[in-house]
Amino acid sequence: MGVSTTSPEEGIAVITVDFPPVNALPVQGWYDVAAAVRAAGSDPGMRCVVLTATGRGFNAGADIKEMQRTEGYTALVGTNRGCYEAFAAVYDCEVPVVAAVQGFCVGGGIGLVGNADAIVASDDATFGLPELDRGALGAATHLARLVPQHLMRTLYYTSRTVTADELHRHGSVWRVVPRERLHAAAMELAREIAAKDGLLIRLAKASINGIDPVDVRRSYRFEQGFTFEANLSGISDRYREAFVSSQESKPSQESKPSKSSKPSKSSEPHKSSEPSGPSKSSKSSKGGLR
């Protein structure tokens, strides 16, 4: 359990996230992802990083149980900063990052894959931001890197998800494969990238980041300010409590990705996860920022 790094082939670092049952990350988990990505990118022997996860889904956001048992604003601010650090680490990684996505990728997961250089996904993967349904905001910066502007806005306002096939048609997912082929497909792409000259691939990454039309770090930080405002207003607390109550009143079940070619309403992976990140009012709620 946690974040681990291996190097199964020369020049390739595989970073695996494992936080059962649904990869809803605690505060330290976000910092651990950031540290692992930065360490791999700064290793002169590495030329590509593969970011992957175990279990049913790639990422379900922040761990709401941690938010509920933590007093004050420590976990709130920690998750806020931890997400920022993890997303920035992926974007700033000195070598290309390939995200290998299975199952659900929501909330914080969008921040990770939206900043990756390439995405390989299983055919059951779904992507979305259920933030508004949880009284939160954030990661529109990263969703906008996956879909066209008007689709991003529609998905954000409705909290709907899109499938890996849809993102493939939009050009943001490189390849869609059966789940059992996901690791092999991600490694295949990483191997092709890692075959390039180490210095040149690092220069290429730096140059491409340098011509990005949007400063993703500043843009995301701007969003976080509105998320905090929503929390202080008490709106987030009401939505969060309603979500927790609804999840605790029914049996835990695995998220069932939509097979439709149309965007589908986001389904929640598990009662202990919080796809949209922690949320908190100015008084006593347990939750957070995105």
Side-chain angles (χ1 to χ4, degrees):
M1 179 175 169
V3 179
S4 59
T5 303
T6 60
S7 182
E9 297 183 23
E10 183 180 359
I12 301 174
V14 176
I15 297 173
T16 304
V17 178
D18 178 22
F19 286 92
V22 292
N23 286 319
L25 273 59
V27 171
Q28 188 58 48
W30 295 108
Y31 283 105
D32 290 345
V33 169
V37 172
R38 289 197 179 101
S42 64
D43 184 340
M46 296 303 163
R47 296 185 293 281
C48 186
V49 170
V50 175
L51 181 61
T52 187
T54 62
R56 290 150 44 191
F58 177 78
N59 190 283
D63 185 352
I64 192 173
K65 286 186 174 180
E66 181 183 44
M67 299 302 108
Q68 290 175 309
R69 65 175 178 260
T70 303
E71 294 296 329
Y73 289 99
T74 303
L76 173 71
V77 175
T79 299
N80 182 23
R81 293 179 176 175
C83 286
Y84 180 88
E85 291 297 327
F87 302 167
V90 172
Y91 183 80
D92 292 330
C93 185
E94 296 177 38
V95 298
V97 176
V98 175
V101 180
Q102 84 280 5
F104 43 83
C105 177
V106 293
I110 295 296
L112 295 173
V113 303
N115 274 351
D117 295 276
I119 304 168
V120 176
S122 62
D123 54 13
D124 65 349
T126 54
F127 303 75
L129 291 176
E131 317 302 270
L132 292 185
D133 284 352
R134 305 293 169 261
L137 300 167
T141 293
H142 312 98
L143 184 59
R145 296 167 67 80
L146 302 177
V147 297
Q149 182 69 210
H150 283 81
L151 179 55
M152 179 275 288
R153 289 170 178 257
T154 303
L155 293 173
Y156 198 86
Y157 297 150
T158 61
S159 299
R160 288 179 176 268
T161 61
V162 289
T163 66
D165 282 329
E166 288 174 291
L167 292 189
H168 179 64
R169 291 197 293 273
H170 285 296
S172 51
V173 167
W174 171 254
R175 189 176 175 191
V176 180
V177 297
R179 182 180 282 226
E180 62 270 18
R181 283 278 302 150
L182 180 60
H183 178 74
M187 288 298 295
E188 182 179 327
L189 177 57
R191 196 176 299 120
E192 186 173 350
I193 294 172
K196 306 299 181 184
D197 180 87
L199 175 59
L200 286 177
I201 201 67
R202 289 168 185 270
L203 291 175
K205 176 66 183 277
S207 66
I208 290 175
N209 277 9
I211 63 172
D212 245 335
V214 175
D215 183 336
V216 296
R217 293 174 297 273
R218 182 176 180 179
S219 178
Y220 177 54
R221 198 63 171 163
F222 179 81
E223 287 189 79
Q224 286 185 315
F226 287 96
T227 303
F228 194 55
E229 183 176 330
N231 280 277
L232 291 178
S233 72
I235 296 174
S236 299
D237 192 32
R238 295 198 299 272
Y239 277 94
R240 186 83 49 193
E241 288 179 356
F243 170 72
V244 172
S245 296
S246 68
Q247 293 300 300
E248 290 180 344
S249 65
K250 64 183 180 181
S252 172
Q253 62 181 11
E254 184 171 343
S255 175
K256 297 181 182 302
S258 170
K259 296 298 183 180
S260 169
S261 61
K262 297 181 180 180
S264 58
K265 196 68 174 178
S266 175
S267 57
E268 305 309 329
H270 191 276
K271 68 180 180 181
S272 67
S273 72
E274 179 40 62
S276 61
S279 172
K280 190 164 190 172
S281 74
S282 59
K283 295 184 179 180
S284 62
S285 77
K286 302 292 183 182
L289 300 176
R290 234 328 149 243

